[in-house]
Amino acid sequence: MSITSSAPSAPSLPLVVRTVPLDDLAQPPGLGAPSAAGDLADRAADLLALLPTQAPLAWVRRGDGLVAWGEAMRVEVHGPDRFADAERAWHQVLAHAVVRDEVRLPGTGPVAFGSFAFDDDSPAGGVVVVPQVVVGRRDGRAWLTTLTTGGHLGAAPRLADVAADGAGEQPRSPGAVTYAEGAVPAQQWPDVVSAGVAAIRAGEVDKVVLARDVEATAEEPVDVRWLLQRLARRYTSCWTFSVDGMVGATPELLVRSDQGLVTSRVLAGTIRRTGDDAADMARAAILAHSSKDLEEHEYAVASVARALAPFCSSSNVPDVPFVLSLPNVLHLASDVTGVLATPTDGRPHPSSLALAAALHPTAAVCGTPTQAAGALIRRIEGMDRGRYAGPVGWFGADGDGEWGIALRSGRVDPDDPRRVRLFAGCGVVAASDPAAELAESEAKLVPMRWALGSD
C-alpha cells in the first residue's frame, strides 16, 4: 500500500466535525426558485465567491454543491490499489472522528474531495483532501461544516469566523494567454488516430479513446476562481470542479450514490455546434442517427451497465440516448440508474468511491475491451494523461458522494501557476475519420480556452 499523509495518525489527533445550518446562503437575495441559466449561474457564483485564491476545492452544478478550503488532512496514493488505499485511509480517519451534524443532508458532516489518475502506473497517483471548512447548498438549504484535528466540539461556527483570505474579492484575469503544442503536435495527432483505427480494423479492440494535450501560458498566475466562475456561468449543466490543481466543467457523471440509489451519466458521440439554432437542430438530428456515434455510445453505455450490475438489485439502461446540448458541442447521452443490492452479510453498501473504482475506466474514456484499449492507449497515445479522464469528486462519512470524470479540464502547474495543461479526447471506432477527430478534439478544448480568456 503506497500512502503518504500530511497529517498525524487519526487516533492521536481525531477529526472534530461540526455542521450547522447557514440560512443566509440558502437562497441568495432577490432570487426565487432558480429557473433560468442566469439564475443558476448567480447561485453558483454565490458559492464560488467564498473561495480563496490558494487551493480552492469545489464541486458545483446548477447553483448547488460544495466549496471548501484549507487542509485538515491530505492523503496521497499511487498504483493500481489507489482507490482502495484512499478509502481505507478515509475510514481510519472516520473511526476516531467526533461528529455533530445538525443538517444531515448529502454533503454534510465529514467530507473529503478526491482526484485520481487515469492510469494505474501514472506518477500522478491520487489525492484525498479533507478540508478545514466546507460550505454546501442543496435544494434551498445551506450549511457550514468545520473540520479540525485534536480539539473538542465547541460553539457553533460562524462563516465570518472561518472565512478564507481573499474571499469575496473579484478573481483576477490571467491576462493574455499563449498556446503551445503538447506531447503530440496537432498536425501529427491524426496519425495517432489512424493507428487506433488500424488496431480496430485488425481486431485488436472494438473502440479506443485517444486524447491530446495543449500547453497554455498566461501573463499572470492563474486564479482558479476565475476559471471556476466562468465555467459555472457558461456550463450550468456540467459539474464544475477544482481539486488539487485539476479544474474543469465535466458533462459526464461517473457515479452518484445517494441512499442506495446510483446514477451514471454516459456521454459518447459528439458533434460541434454552429451557433445557429436551426442549423444546430439539424445537427442534433444527424448526431442522433449517426451509426458511427451510436456505435461509440453503445460501447460506453454497455461498459457502465456491466460494471454496475454486480452491485445492483435492479437497474434501468435506456434503449435510446438523448442529445445533450452544451454551448460548444452536442453529445449523445444516457442516464443509467440502479438500486444497490442489500449485502447479505450485514456490511454496508459499497461506497461511491468503490463504485467509481469499479466503473473506471469506462468505454467513454478508454475503450472496449477495457484492458486491450488501455494497452493500446499506452502504446500509441504518446503522453501521460495524469489525472485527466480520471475520477474527481467528493464523498462523505456514509460513503455516498458524487464522482465525475475529469473532462473539459486542465491541470494548473503547481511549480508555475501561469501554466495550465489542457486536455481533450475522442472516441475512435472503425468508421472514424482522423481529421474529423482532430476537429472534435479542438471543440472539446473550447471550454478551458474560453475559461482562460477575458471576453
Side-chain angles (χ1 to χ4, degrees):
M1 183 169 69
S2 177
I3 297 179
T4 58
S5 173
S6 62
S9 62
S12 60
L13 287 176
L15 194 67
V16 179
V17 184
R18 182 80 182 270
T19 299
V20 297
L22 202 59
D23 295 333
D24 55 340
L25 270 182
Q27 193 73 38
L31 286 180
S35 58
D39 294 338
L40 297 170
D42 288 341
R43 287 172 62 83
D46 188 54
L47 276 179
L48 295 170
L50 300 172
L51 289 171
T53 304
Q54 299 298 318
L57 296 162
W59 180 265
V60 174
R61 181 177 185 260
R62 296 190 178 277
D64 285 356
L66 303 173
V67 296
W69 54 92
E71 284 192 9
M73 187 169 294
R74 176 186 183 91
V75 176
E76 297 182 1
V77 291
H78 298 86
D81 297 326
R82 60 194 180 284
F83 300 104
D85 290 347
E87 182 155 11
R88 188 175 302 112
W90 178 229
H91 284 310
Q92 290 171 356
V93 171
L94 295 174
H96 301 276
V98 179
V99 180
R100 181 172 176 180
D101 183 352
E102 300 175 19
V103 179
R104 296 189 176 277
L105 285 175
T108 65
V111 167
F113 291 75
S115 173
F116 295 87
F118 171 82
D119 193 83
D120 289 349
D121 297 328
S122 172
V127 63
V128 171
V129 178
V130 181
Q132 292 176 321
V133 182
V134 181
V135 176
R137 184 167 56 213
R138 176 176 170 135
D139 298 334
R141 298 181 66 186
W143 61 89
L144 166 67
T145 300
T146 55
L147 305 96
T148 59
T149 54
H152 302 280
L153 281 171
R158 299 185 309 161
L159 184 57
D161 296 332
V162 295
D165 292 340
E169 297 177 0
Q170 287 296 315
R172 301 185 306 273
S173 166
V177 180
T178 58
Y179 294 92
E181 300 286 3
V184 178
Q187 64 269 25
Q188 295 177 16
W189 196 68
D191 295 336
V192 176
V193 176
S194 295
V197 171
I200 293 168
R201 293 177 177 173
E204 186 175 338
V205 295
D206 298 317
K207 171 189 173 180
V208 65
V209 181
L210 297 170
R212 53 184 285 252
D213 64 336
V214 172
E215 297 283 350
T217 302
E219 279 186 307
E220 303 293 336
V222 173
D223 186 339
V224 172
R225 301 173 305 168
W226 174 271
L227 306 180
L228 290 172
Q229 292 196 15
R230 287 173 64 82
L231 289 169
R233 178 167 295 279
R234 188 169 178 86
Y235 295 89
T236 55
S237 62
C238 296
W239 288 265
T240 300
F241 63 87
S242 172
V243 180
D244 194 46
M246 283 300 298
V247 57
T250 181
E252 193 152 357
L253 183 69
L254 180 61
V255 66
R256 175 196 296 119
S257 178
D258 187 350
Q259 298 180 347
L261 301 178
V262 293
T263 304
S264 180
R265 171 161 288 186
V266 183
L267 270 60
T270 305
I271 193 168
R272 191 166 191 165
R273 294 189 64 171
T274 66
D276 177 86
D277 289 344
D280 286 341
M281 286 185 64
R283 286 193 157 219
I286 292 171
L287 179 64
H289 295 87
S290 163
S291 58
K292 177 264 182 187
D293 290 291
L294 288 169
E295 178 188 7
E296 180 186 342
H297 190 81
E298 184 179 351
Y299 286 128
V301 171
S303 76
V304 168
R306 187 166 51 249
L308 282 178
F311 304 100
C312 293
S313 59
S314 63
S315 60
N316 179 51
V317 183
D319 293 328
V320 179
F322 65 92
V323 176
L324 176 67
S325 178
L326 297 178
N328 59 315
V329 294
L330 303 168
H331 288 297
L332 292 180
S334 294
D335 288 336
V336 178
T337 58
V339 177
L340 290 176
T342 301
T344 56
D345 56 6
R347 293 184 299 175
H349 291 132
S351 73
S352 59
L353 181 58
L355 292 171
L359 285 164
H360 177 77
T362 70
V365 293
C366 181
T368 302
T370 303
Q371 187 172 357
L376 181 60
I377 288 169
R378 285 188 288 272
R379 190 171 81 240
I380 70 174
E381 192 170 74
M383 71 172 188
D384 173 21
R385 295 185 180 186
R387 294 178 188 163
Y388 165 72
V392 60
W394 66 273
F395 65 147
D398 60 0
D400 284 354
E402 294 179 298
W403 296 92
I405 302 177
L407 305 175
R408 312 300 191 273
S409 60
R411 168 69 169 165
V412 180
D413 190 329
D415 299 319
D416 183 357
R418 296 179 306 114
R419 296 169 59 87
V420 185
R421 188 181 177 209
L422 313 183
F423 302 90
C426 301
V428 176
V429 293
S432 291
D433 173 67
E437 299 299 341
L438 177 62
E440 181 179 321
S441 74
E442 287 294 331
K444 291 177 176 177
L445 287 167
V446 165
M448 287 302 296
R449 288 182 184 265
W450 183 86
L452 282 164
S454 56
D455 58 322

